[in-house]
Amino acid sequence: MDSGKPSGIRHKTSVEAAKTAYTTVSHIGQKRTFDTFKGDQKNTAKAPLADITHKTEFRRPSLPTKTFEPLQASEIVDATDRPGGPSEYSQRRTLALTPTPQTNPILDLSHPSYGLPRQLVTNLALLGVKSIYPWQSDCLLKSGALSGNRNLVYTAPTGGGKSLVADILMVKKVLENPGEKAILVLPYVALVQEKLRWLRKVVEGIQKPELKDESRLERPSFWRKKGDENTIRVVGSFGGSREKILWDDIDIAVCTIEKANSLVNIAIDEHSISKLRVVVMDELHMIDDESRGYILELMGTKLLSLEQDVQNADVLARWLNDARFYISRYRPVPVEEHLVFDNNIYPASTSSIRTIQTSKHKEFNNPLLNAVVSLANETARAGYGALIFCSSRSGTESAAVLISQVLPRPKEIPPSIMELRVDLLSGLRNTSTGLDRVLEKTIPVGVAFHHAGLTAEERDLIAAAYDAGTIKVIVATCSLAAGINLPARRVILYGARMGAEFVGPAMLRQMRGRAGRKGKDEVGETYLCCQKSDLEAVAELMEADLPNVESCLLPDKRGIQRALLEVIATKLATSDESVDAYMKKTLLYYSIDRQELAEMTRTTLENLAETGLVKSHLGTYAASLLGQAIVASSLTPEDGLFVHRELSRALQSFVMDGDMHALYTFTPVHTNVQNINWQIFRREMEGLGEANLRVLTLVGLKPSIINKMAQGGTMKESNPAEIEIARRYKRFYCALQLRDICNEMPIYAVSRKYDMPRGVVQNLAQTCHGFAAGMIKFCQKMDWGGLAAVLDHYSDRLRAGAKSDLLSLAEITGIKSRTARVFWENGFKTVASVAAANSKEILPVLLLAQPRKPKLGSQSEQKYIEKLQNRAELISNSANRIWEREMQAELDREEEE
């Protein structure tokens, strides 16, 4: 869309055109029963669908294929003569070194030893898992985990099949014990979403045995209405997710670390924790992460732990009640490692050196850049996928541009591949942010970048295209190495830094672990490219061992305060004896001197009492109301005290005639904003109305300081008081962005307005969803009902990204804020009006909401219309489900009265 058009009127002419070009049957505002509605659908002639593809009102711009100017990559040649005969890896490709069920029947999951239902084995086979590896069989059968007798800690290389072991254990436990629950804990939202899709395919069609206790089925349940009582229900929970998990309505929950901890706390409060029989913690090495690791440790005494690669697995096993631990070094796909510097490639396993020719283009004068581009070019032209890790977002984009300039031009690419790439461009253009100008020119030749500056929709489309082979080269930031699952034939590390610092051994292993995946490649390759000046440090990094996992409850990591507050608030420990017993179950107990641990525990309890979070009396402990509120809202004690000060000030004078006070309250305590653009801040401050200016003053901000900073001043953050002041300015700056999102400004427009990456803006909005829910719980626990009600309203607006009048429409699947406004302006102002319409009546409205979609030609245009028809069906079905639920709730209320 032309960015010069004002927001809010970009679809006006299309609306008017639609009114004259289509004949629709209006049911708007009529509340019909569903018997009448279904009868009308069956007996009444449907409104004819106009010939949409040939209407001049919907003519869209054609799609030219744009690329950057072509360059030529440097050639890579052998600097030494290769010995005769097959190489090590060609031999591995020839020999079947992995046993199969034909040679070892126990590797077949249908073997009676596993006791798995036939449907589960069939589903796994359809997903490509036709047999397992010997180490997986040993881990399942010899550890005692499959029978539920022992906890388990195990480690294997990336791609070695760790997840499958956990999947089988969870599903088997849920099937054998209907009513019992499993939780899978993953560190990143992207991994949760991916795993959610996988597990739902794994359990599809599997029926659970009926519960012996029928009382549960007699209680009203959202799931009962869907008719899935006897299926395995896999539910995801992460920051920004729309689903509210009810403990009784799940079998397997796939959660982020924070959501899993919250779910466990709820189960303890509701006295239903006994139903939780399996806890799987992936990426257990993150237990020593200073910001989130202690949360894993709080859950670590549960039934099951798995890990990617842990240095001291024996310590973790002793911590988990003498769990069995299993270490596998097996990789189903061999990986060859290389070190690249000064235009030479040195394999780690052989003496065969390859040389990268000097480039004739000035763009490739830097040997490091020349090596990265040449290696990516060699991989893509051979038909394989390459994954390149860079140290910065800007670096990923510039590298993607240069790599795209050396790959085959669109006219040299098979038409079938080009068609898929054109579809990808169309999909990206159709997102809420539109098509990125750089991606528009790199995707036609099979190159894309992937970093946190992109929105989730963009990253998902790019990742799916790479996985399908449509994209051959992805350039990503190092920080996303653990958050993406994109296996590649060749992984290229563009330097070994993340920002100015070298990556650690764990991060390096994460990136290198993406090379070669079973079913994708017969061999994997990693190339660590570095400057000659970094050679010594890089060589040490390649040989470095993983650091030992440490407890995050150590004094310098401050996790012990939250740990003790949580166990006291949930009444797991309420006396000196029970606190000591709890501390003996932590990883910390195996890490430090016992006397030191006792002193640390005593000091922490005193600090909690001094800050008013815990009440102590004669060796017994209870959480105060404030302490309970902090635990309920999933805050750390330090952040909880800050929030309490902020909300206490708000209670004295809360500004109700503006949006900013509520939105400021929803802004996370720790934002992603590192540097404020003070000129933009001053401009926005000058545009605030009288009510919102009062908010500025009430939260402790000074216009004079903002003016000073806009003129080049510096904000100090050298002590706790200064840090707290700076935090308020950052939160208000983020709250300004939330205000625009709630007022239906598209994310791409907010991104441009505040000079921030669109992915960062979207992540801010998603993070605020979870934080807002925490703030509402905080107020409810503190018995601040009025403030909680106000915040709840703004939470709905924030989730919908819309003004109050669109909140009901935004509940419908497939209708987001901008699309909801188009529906509203076309007369569909309620869920009932959408439910009463059929998909043919919805389709023209969807067309009006797609102004960016180019005219692709008759065949592609028809595919596009079919996609919109499917979306119209989805919207219609979703609206009907919501309307049915509302009608049922109304009937239930009438019966109660």
Side-chain angles (χ1 to χ4, degrees):
M1 188 188 75
D2 185 0
S3 59
K5 290 184 180 181
S7 174
I9 65 169
R10 50 185 173 270
H11 51 269
K12 290 294 187 181
T13 55
S14 300
V15 172
E16 295 302 321
K19 290 179 179 177
T20 58
Y22 294 96
T23 302
T24 60
V25 179
S26 176
H27 302 292
I28 300 162
Q30 300 180 21
K31 183 175 178 181
R32 294 176 288 168
T33 66
F34 268 81
D35 290 337
T36 304
F37 173 52
K38 297 299 183 183
D40 289 347
Q41 280 192 317
K42 182 177 180 180
N43 302 320
T44 305
K46 303 295 187 297
L49 178 64
D51 184 6
I52 297 170
T53 59
H54 300 294
K55 283 290 181 181
T56 57
E57 291 85 346
F58 289 103
R59 181 173 295 164
R60 291 178 290 278
S62 60
L63 179 65
T65 302
K66 301 178 182 178
T67 59
F68 291 99
E69 290 297 322
L71 298 174
Q72 185 175 349
S74 297
E75 187 179 356
I76 303 176
V77 298
D78 290 337
T80 57
D81 293 332
R82 291 181 180 269
S87 69
E88 175 186 0
Y89 289 105
S90 63
Q91 291 180 42
R92 291 195 185 186
R93 286 194 293 270
T94 303
L95 300 175
L97 298 182
T98 302
T100 63
Q102 286 72 31
T103 59
N104 187 356
I106 200 70
L107 300 182
D108 191 333
L109 284 173
S110 62
H111 194 280
S113 298
Y114 302 107
L116 302 180
R118 182 180 298 275
Q119 185 64 52
L120 174 59
V121 176
T122 301
N123 290 350
L124 289 171
L126 292 173
L127 293 169
V129 182
K130 296 180 172 60
S131 63
I132 59 176
Y133 304 132
W135 82 264
Q136 293 172 319
S137 176
D138 289 346
C139 194
L140 286 168
L141 297 178
K142 297 180 180 180
S143 67
L146 191 63
S147 59
N149 296 327
R150 295 286 294 272
N151 290 344
L152 174 66
V153 176
Y154 64 97
T155 170
T158 300
K162 301 180 304 298
S163 297
L164 180 61
V165 174
D167 295 346
I168 291 172
L169 291 173
M170 286 191 298
V171 175
K172 183 174 173 61
K173 178 63 70 175
V174 167
L175 287 174
E176 290 179 344
N177 304 277
E180 294 185 352
K181 317 295 181 183
I183 295 180
L184 171 59
V185 187
L186 294 164
Y188 304 108
V189 171
L191 296 180
V192 170
Q193 293 171 324
E194 180 184 13
K195 192 65 178 182
L196 192 61
R197 291 190 291 267
W198 165 266
L199 281 176
R200 284 174 174 169
K201 293 177 183 177
V202 168
V203 304
E204 186 175 0
I206 299 177
Q207 296 292 310
K208 290 188 305 183
E210 290 187 8
L211 279 170
K212 295 179 181 179
D213 179 14
E214 298 294 334
S215 60
R216 178 183 177 276
L217 296 179
E218 294 172 2
R219 295 196 300 268
S221 169
F222 174 75
W223 289 104
R224 183 171 62 84
K225 295 173 185 177
K226 295 173 67 177
D228 63 353
E229 301 93 334
N230 296 325
T231 63
I232 298 179
R233 296 159 299 186
V234 183
V235 182
S237 180
F238 49 88
S241 62
R242 299 184 66 175
E243 290 187 78
K244 293 183 179 180
I245 291 185
L246 300 177
W247 189 244
D248 283 338
D249 289 333
I250 65 170
D251 294 305
I252 299 175
V254 187
C255 311
T256 53
I257 296 172
E258 294 77 10
K259 289 291 187 178
N261 187 56
S262 177
L263 190 60
V264 169
N265 285 343
I266 291 171
I268 293 172
D269 286 340
E270 295 177 350
H271 305 288
S272 57
I273 193 64
S274 60
K275 295 181 181 179
L276 178 60
R277 298 305 301 272
V278 179
V279 175
V280 179
M281 293 191 290
D282 202 353
E283 309 288 353
L284 190 57
H285 65 278
M286 288 191 67
I287 203 165
D288 64 356
D289 180 85
E290 292 193 17
S291 61
R292 310 170 75 197
Y294 62 90
I295 305 177
L296 279 175
E297 189 165 349
L298 294 179
M299 297 186 294
T301 54
K302 302 300 188 293
L303 302 176
L304 173 66
S305 296
L306 72 88
E307 163 51 13
Q308 177 217 341
D309 221 342
V310 176
Q311 187 69 10
N312 51 334
D314 57 332
V315 174
L316 296 175
R318 283 190 284 116
W319 164 48
L320 293 172
N321 293 333
D322 289 324
R324 290 292 299 270
F325 74 93
Y326 193 99
I327 298 176
S328 171
R329 306 295 183 194
Y330 176 74
R331 280 198 67 106
V333 177
V335 176
E336 186 174 31
E337 298 182 352
H338 305 77
L339 179 62
V340 183
F341 69 94
D342 205 17
N343 281 330
N344 288 318
I345 303 172
Y346 300 90
S349 58
T350 70
S351 58
S352 177
I353 301 173
R354 302 173 71 204
T355 298
I356 303 169
Q357 300 293 315
T358 303
S359 176
K360 63 182 180 181
H361 300 293
K362 63 180 181 180
E363 290 88 347
F364 303 139
N365 283 344
N366 185 325
L368 174 59
L369 176 60
N370 188 41
V372 171
V373 173
S374 300
L375 288 166
N377 174 67
E378 183 183 55
T379 314
R381 287 181 180 271
Y384 297 111
L387 179 59
I388 302 170
F389 288 109
C390 285
S391 61
S392 66
R393 295 173 191 166
S394 59
T396 64
E397 297 188 23
S398 60
V401 169
L402 290 170
I403 293 168
S404 74
Q405 292 181 269
V406 303
L407 293 182
R409 301 294 92 189
K411 63 183 180 181
E412 305 172 52
I413 298 170
S416 58
I417 298 296
M418 278 307 303
E419 183 179 354
L420 293 173
R421 291 177 183 173
V422 169
D423 286 345
L424 174 58
L425 288 171
S426 301
L428 290 168
R429 183 178 281 105
N430 201 35
T431 62
S432 59
T433 59
L435 177 60
D436 181 89
R437 293 181 180 179
V438 176
L439 290 174
E440 183 180 17
K441 295 184 178 181
T442 62
I443 285 177
V445 294
V447 182
F449 55 84
H450 188 289
H451 57 60
L454 297 176
T455 62
E457 295 85 358
E458 291 174 301
R459 294 198 299 268
D460 288 346
L461 286 169
I462 290 169
Y466 175 80
D467 196 50
T470 304
I471 295 295
K472 292 298 182 184
V473 180
I474 281 190
V475 192
T477 47
C478 298
S479 58
L480 286 181
I484 57 176
N485 184 22
L486 300 176
R489 170 63 174 260
R490 181 174 285 180
V491 171
I492 304 168
L493 279 65
Y494 186 176
R497 296 177 182 270
M498 188 160 58
E501 302 296 327
F502 283 102
V503 298
M507 178 65 74
L508 179 63
R509 192 163 299 197
Q510 286 276 12
M511 292 186 286
R512 290 156 71 181
R514 301 300 166 196
R517 286 295 178 97
K518 184 71 172 176
K520 294 284 186 180
D521 298 291
E522 67 275 11
V523 64
E525 302 170 346
T526 66
Y527 291 80
L528 204 169
C529 307
C530 67
Q531 302 280 7
K532 192 172 183 179
S533 57
D534 291 337
L535 182 59
E536 184 177 349
V538 168
E540 292 180 1
L541 179 62
M542 292 181 70
E543 298 297 328
D545 291 328
L546 288 174
N548 286 336
V549 173
E550 291 183 342
S551 170
C552 257
L553 303 187
L554 291 167
D556 57 338
K557 298 185 179 181
R558 299 194 308 175
I560 190 170
Q561 283 204 10
R562 179 169 179 177
L564 288 177
L565 179 59
E566 282 205 5
V567 296
I568 292 172
T570 54
K571 299 180 182 179
L572 289 178
T574 57
S575 65
D576 285 328
E577 293 78 12
S578 55
V579 168
D580 288 342
Y582 169 78
M583 293 304 296
K584 289 179 181 178
K585 295 180 181 179
T586 64
L587 179 59
L588 180 64
Y589 180 77
Y590 297 90
S591 307
I592 64 173
D593 178 75
R594 304 293 185 268
Q595 186 62 36
E596 183 182 356
L597 176 61
E599 180 63 24
M600 183 192 310
T601 303
R602 184 187 64 79
T603 302
T604 303
L605 289 171
E606 290 176 354
N607 290 338
L608 290 173
E610 289 174 3
T611 53
L613 303 182
V614 167
K615 300 175 182 178
S616 63
H617 178 69
L618 299 177
T620 61
Y621 304 96
S624 66
L625 189 61
L626 175 57
Q628 295 175 37
I630 289 174
V631 171
S633 54
S634 301
L635 294 170
T636 65
E638 298 84 2
D639 292 344
L641 290 170
F642 172 79
V643 166
H644 183 252
R645 291 193 294 271
E646 295 282 281
L647 292 179
S648 296
R649 186 186 296 113
L651 283 172
Q652 297 173 13
S653 181
F654 195 87
V655 178
M656 297 288 291
D657 52 344
D659 297 336
M660 288 303 300
H661 214 157
L663 295 174
Y664 173 83
T665 305
F666 281 163
T667 306
V669 174
H670 302 285
T671 67
N672 290 329
V673 175
Q674 300 298 323
N675 298 305
I676 296 174
N677 187 321
W678 291 99
Q679 286 78 20
I680 294 176
F681 199 163
R682 179 173 61 181
R683 181 194 68 200
E684 292 302 306
M685 179 190 68
E686 292 171 349
L688 292 175
E690 185 273 333
N692 288 329
L693 279 174
R694 277 190 283 122
V695 177
L696 191 80
T697 305
L698 288 171
V699 299
L701 274 59
K702 298 180 180 179
S704 60
I705 296 295
I706 297 173
N707 283 321
K708 178 182 176 182
M709 299 303 298
Q711 294 169 6
T714 303
M715 180 164 286
K716 296 180 180 180
E717 297 184 51
S718 56
N719 58 58
E722 291 176 348
I723 291 173
E724 184 164 322
I725 291 172
R727 184 188 297 177
R728 290 196 180 105
Y729 282 93
K730 290 177 181 178
R731 292 184 74 204
F732 200 90
Y733 188 67
C734 291
L736 290 169
Q737 299 168 47
L738 296 180
R739 173 203 59 182
D740 290 340
I741 292 172
C742 285
N743 288 328
E744 301 172 32
M745 181 180 287
I747 285 178
Y748 76 89
V750 177
S751 168
R752 293 175 184 174
K753 181 178 180 180
Y754 293 93
D755 192 25
M756 294 181 67
R758 54 191 178 276
V760 173
V761 175
Q762 185 188 57
N763 184 63
L764 170 66
Q766 292 174 343
T767 303
C768 287
H769 295 162
F771 190 78
M775 291 302 93
I776 294 170
K777 289 180 182 178
F778 189 99
C779 292
Q780 290 170 343
K781 277 287 184 181
M782 294 298 296
D783 202 22
W784 298 340
L787 183 56
V790 173
L791 297 182
D792 194 32
H793 169 75
Y794 277 94
S795 175
D796 292 339
R797 282 190 57 190
L798 183 61
R799 187 178 299 279
K803 296 179 181 177
S804 301
D805 55 354
L806 299 184
L807 292 182
S808 60
L809 287 177
E811 291 183 19
I812 301 173
T813 302
I815 296 184
K816 296 182 180 180
S817 59
R818 182 178 174 279
T819 307
R821 181 57 63 190
V822 177
F823 270 80
W824 176 276
E825 293 184 351
N826 276 270
F828 294 93
K829 298 186 177 183
T830 64
V831 173
S833 63
V834 179
N838 58 41
S839 60
K840 290 185 177 181
E841 294 173 301
I842 293 172
L843 180 60
V845 184
L846 286 180
L847 275 166
L848 302 181
Q850 313 292 320
R852 290 193 186 89
K853 188 70 186 178
K855 192 172 182 65
L856 303 173
S858 58
Q859 184 176 359
S860 298
E861 183 78 0
Q862 185 58 39
K863 288 170 62 178
Y864 165 58
I865 297 298
E866 289 174 0
K867 287 181 179 179
L868 283 187
Q869 286 172 337
N870 292 335
R871 185 178 171 190
E873 289 285 352
L874 177 70
I875 290 172
S876 177
N877 294 336
S878 175
N880 276 285
R881 285 196 301 270
I882 294 172
W883 180 234
E884 285 175 349
R885 195 165 64 225
E886 290 176 352
M887 289 183 66
Q888 184 63 50
E890 186 176 332
L891 289 173
D892 291 343
R893 285 194 297 270
E894 290 176 357
E895 290 177 0
E896 291 175 0
E897 293 174 357

